[in-house]
Amino acid sequence: MSKESTTNSQGLSEECHAMISRISHEVRNPVAVIHSFHQLLLLAHPELSNDLYFQKIQENMAFLNSLLDELSCYNHSYRAVRAYVNPYLLLQNLCADTGVLLEKQQVSIELVKESAIPRFALDTTQFRQLFLNLIRNAAEAMPSGGTIKISLCFDGDFLTIRVQDTGCGIPAEDLPTLFDLFVTHKKNGTGLGLAICKEIVTAHDGTISVSSVPGEGSTFTVVFPFS
C-alpha cells in the first residue's frame, strides 16, 4: 500500500522559487538561440571545430546549460511527492548503476546494511538525485582512487545513511557554508549540488551534516524520521 504526500521545506519561500523559475526560463530562451546559431555556424564552417576560441565557446555553453539544469533541479527539490519504498533497495540499484563508471576512476563503492531497514515514505526521484550528488562529490574528492562506503542504520525512529570517502577532506573554514546556495569551493563548481541535497533532505523533514578531516576524507550523514 502506498501513500503520497507533498511536503514543503523550511528553505526558500514559494515566491523565491517562483522568481528563480521565471529567471531561469528567461535565460534559457536566449541560451537556446545562441546554441542554435553556434551549431549552424559549425555546419557552415566545420574547420572552426579546431579553433581554440570556438572550443572555449562550446565549453562555456555546456557549462551554462548544466547550470540551468541544476538550477531547475534545485527549484523543484523543495517539494517531495512520496511513496513507501525500501531505501536500501534504492541505494543498491544506484550503486550498481554507478559502479561501472566508478571502477574506471579506480573508485570502489561499498554498501553496508547495519540493521533491518523498513519501507519509508520517500520521493524516489529526489532520493536518487540526493545520493547521486553525494556519490559524485565523494568520487571527485578522490582523483587518484579510493573507497566510498555507504552505510544504513535504523534505530526504530530514524534512518541514518552515511556516505564516507577516503579523499582529500574539506578545510574546516569551508564547512559552515558547504550547503549554501551558489557558494562553491570547487574550481568549476556551480554552488548548487549540495544546496539541492539540503533542499531534498529538508523536504523529507530530515537533516544532513558533514564531518571531515583534511587528508583523510569526509562523511556526509543524512537522517530521515520514520513515517
Side-chain angles (χ1 to χ4, degrees):
M1 180 176 180
S2 66
K3 172 186 174 183
E4 292 188 354
S5 63
T6 300
T7 305
N8 289 340
S9 75
Q10 301 298 318
L12 295 178
S13 67
E14 290 199 17
E15 290 79 7
C16 288
H17 280 282
M19 181 180 68
I20 290 174
S21 181
R22 288 195 296 270
I23 292 173
S24 60
H25 177 75
E26 291 303 317
V27 172
R28 193 178 290 275
N29 285 335
V31 167
V33 172
I34 293 171
H35 179 71
S36 296
F37 279 115
H38 181 265
Q39 295 302 307
L40 288 172
L41 185 60
L42 184 60
L43 286 173
H45 302 280
E47 70 277 5
L48 287 174
S49 62
N50 296 318
D51 183 85
L52 177 61
Y53 296 149
F54 194 83
Q55 291 171 359
K56 290 298 180 183
I57 293 173
Q58 285 183 310
E59 291 173 7
N60 282 277
M61 282 296 299
F63 176 79
L64 186 53
N65 277 308
S66 175
L67 179 61
L68 287 169
D69 288 342
E70 287 200 28
L71 192 59
S72 177
C73 183
Y74 174 83
N75 207 40
H76 290 90
S77 61
Y78 76 109
R79 288 180 174 173
V81 180
R82 308 191 199 186
Y84 279 104
V85 292
N86 188 314
Y88 176 72
L89 293 180
L90 292 178
L91 284 173
Q92 207 172 36
N93 290 333
L94 181 59
C95 290
D97 290 343
T98 57
V100 176
L101 293 176
L102 291 174
E103 284 180 6
K104 294 179 180 178
Q105 302 174 46
Q106 296 184 321
V107 172
S108 61
I109 186 166
E110 179 183 354
L111 180 63
V112 179
K113 183 169 65 171
E114 298 178 347
S115 69
I117 306 296
R119 290 160 68 86
F120 268 72
L122 300 168
D123 185 312
T124 56
T125 300
Q126 290 189 358
F127 185 88
R128 181 181 175 88
Q129 180 66 41
L130 164 64
F131 286 99
L132 188 60
N133 277 345
L134 293 180
I135 290 171
R136 184 185 299 119
N137 282 350
E140 289 176 353
M142 301 182 291
S144 300
T147 302
I148 300 172
K149 179 182 178 181
I150 303 176
S151 60
L152 300 87
C153 181
F154 179 63
D155 65 3
D157 295 310
F158 297 95
L159 171 67
T160 300
I161 305 176
R162 292 185 175 87
V163 180
Q164 182 179 7
D165 66 62
T166 56
C168 57
I170 303 167
E173 61 270 21
D174 293 345
L175 295 177
T177 58
L178 207 60
F179 299 100
D180 290 357
L181 182 63
F182 293 128
V183 175
T184 182
H185 304 287
K186 297 180 181 179
K187 182 179 179 181
N188 297 313
T190 62
L192 283 165
L194 288 176
I196 290 171
C197 290
K198 183 178 180 180
E199 284 286 290
I200 290 173
V201 172
T202 305
H204 287 81
D205 303 313
T207 62
I208 183 169
S209 60
V210 59
S211 61
S212 185
V213 178
E216 295 184 16
S218 304
T219 300
F220 285 82
T221 302
V222 177
V223 179
F224 292 123
F226 184 62
S227 58

